[in-house]
Amino acid sequence: MSDLAPPAHFIKNAIDEDLAAGRYRQVVTRFPPEPNGYLHFGHAKSIVLNFGLARLYGGRCHMRFDDTNPTTESMDYVEAILEAVRWLGYDWGEHLYFASDYFETMYRCAEALIERGLAYVDSLPPEEIRALRGTLTEPGRDSPYRNRSIEENLALFRRMRAGEFPDGAHVLRAKIDMASPNLNLRDPILYRIRHVSHYRTGNAWCLYPTYTYAHPIEDAIEGITHSLCTLEFEDQRPFYEWLLEALAEAGVFSRPLPRQIEFARLNLEYVVLSKRKLIQLVEERHVAGWDDPRLPTLAGGRRRGYTPEGFRLFCERIGVSKADGWIGYEVLEQAMRDHLNEAAERRIAVLDPLELVIDDFPEGHVEWCEAPNHPLDPERGKRRIPFTRRLWIERGDFMETPVKGFHRLTPGATVRLRYGYVIECTGCDKDESGRVVRVHARHFPDSKSGTPGADRYKTKGNCHWLSCDHAIEAEIRHYDRLFRHPRPGTEPGPDGAPRSFLEDLNPESLRCYRAFVEPDAAQVPPETRFQFERHGYFVADRYDHRPETPVFNLTVGLKDTWGKIQR
């Protein structure tokens, strides 16, 4: 398995320095999602980074759920996240953890802070706490409850745990510095009262820690050495370090303490990677669920036919940096295309069928033609394709009046039917509206591919085909980009006002149509991937594909058509 560890990796360099200095003996990382939604493509970068570095250094990576918010989390999300990480190719072994298992320890840590005069119970309403916090240019102001005695704070905090107060009556805050230029050090909130049942702890708690408070403690409990976060947590690192130092001085944790390092998150064009926006897309039914192949979730990518190897290759190519930037979606598509080119066997599909009749081919006769399963890998062998009098070809492969440069079927022209015979077009049939409904041709019996003398026939055109008597009708789901704009919702509307990202949705992001595929392509199990020759890479739908009713999803085309359009 290929992992993310390039030579110039600044996080790798930091780890090398820590190990050389003897600060840590074993590298321990963690992947800590909140179970309030499905994992998206940005999480893939973090997964590959954390698990990859742990493997590189012979350490371990913990799978941990930061489940401190009972109002949005569920076991369904936990199971979906675990499935996605396994699908990407990573295993946490025995190291599966939940923040909710540490609630008692976190509570004791809070009491330790109170006893050292480093935390206090604030009884101001939430809006007044916000008003006193200050701004980027103005310092905050002390709460009137900031100087409560240690005894009073302990008593109130224990009553908060006992459920004596309603939601919002009190909060526990760290006592740091209301004049700090870093807003995250202006007495951040550590605990809130929430009379809500937790999906794992039930009603055992009505007092829940904030993520900012819980996360450093979780890292310290588990012995994490390098806590790798995206850049939005950079301003919170001073609190991370303040909290762990305070608890170490109180004797709760021993040194060395975890080290937080930030890296740039994934910003990918033509998608949104905000969990809030993804939830909105799902709940408002702009997509067909968390695993809709247009949605940039790992479940959606899997259903679309994206591969774990493709995601890992993508992560290697984009690398890790300290500066935010935008990655073109075509970079992800090319990674998938490069892997599928090697991994996917070839099959034939006719997506816009037009009947071709070989008038001089015997009625009822079947001729078997051979085609390689993979032209780059002869060891995968060959398959047999039936050739009959009536064939399906692509409508775009015939022009009654050809344009310059058209080298396929046109009256009087000869082409090779791929893996089959050379034919000469003799005419076509039309319906009452003048639309071509059938093409006629004659074949050259000594021109069958792979037979002696067949190479005597030189043609400019090459068409693929399927037997009308044997091909299986299939549903094709043609997925395109979910948004028309590379950065959805970032440009102002006609009146200059901000517009919703929903206004940039692509109404053509999904087109469904009927097509024909080779018989053995219909028989494959779900999630089997093929290159349908000349068209692109497709996957048998994970849920809807059946041999009797095959369904194939377009994964990615053979070429970067979007990039060409943009250029």
Side-chain angles (χ1 to χ4, degrees), residues 536-550:
Y537 297 96
F538 291 74
V539 64
D541 188 80
R542 186 180 180 191
Y543 300 113
D544 298 335
H545 177 84
R546 302 284 187 280
E548 62 276 12
T549 56

Side-chain angles (χ1 to χ4, degrees), residues 150-165:
I150 291 175
E151 293 74 21
E152 185 181 4
N153 282 318
L154 277 175
L156 279 170
F157 191 54
R158 289 166 181 170
R159 291 174 64 193
M160 289 165 65
R161 174 176 180 170
E164 295 184 24
F165 303 110

Side-chain angles (χ1 to χ4, degrees), residues 279-349:
I279 291 173
Q280 184 177 351
L281 287 169
V282 172
E283 291 184 346
E284 295 181 2
R285 300 189 178 182
H286 299 287
V287 293
W290 282 104
D291 61 355
D292 188 306
R294 295 167 294 177
L295 206 61
T297 57
L298 293 182
R302 176 178 180 176
R303 191 170 180 184
R304 187 164 178 166
Y306 290 174
T307 66
E309 296 87 349
F311 274 114
R312 295 197 294 270
L313 181 59
F314 170 65
C315 290
E316 289 177 356
R317 288 177 176 176
I318 64 174
V320 177
S321 72
K322 194 74 174 176
D324 273 327
W326 285 86
I327 304 296
Y329 198 84
E330 66 273 7
V331 179
L332 173 63
E333 290 181 320
Q334 190 60 48
M336 297 300 167
R337 192 180 289 117
D338 288 346
H339 174 250
L340 289 169
N341 182 49
E342 297 180 359
E345 290 194 354
R346 275 48 168 175
R347 294 295 185 271
I348 294 173

Side-chain angles (χ1 to χ4, degrees), residues 6 15 26 29 43 70 79 81 126 141 195 221 231 245 258 274 356 404 443 446 477 507 544:
I15 294 174
Q26 182 186 41
T29 61
H43 289 115
E79 293 171 353
I81 290 170
R141 290 174 288 158
H195 291 272
I221 291 172
L231 280 178
E245 284 293 337
S274 156
L356 168 67
K404 183 179 179 181
H443 81 298
D446 59 347
R477 296 175 181 171
D544 298 335

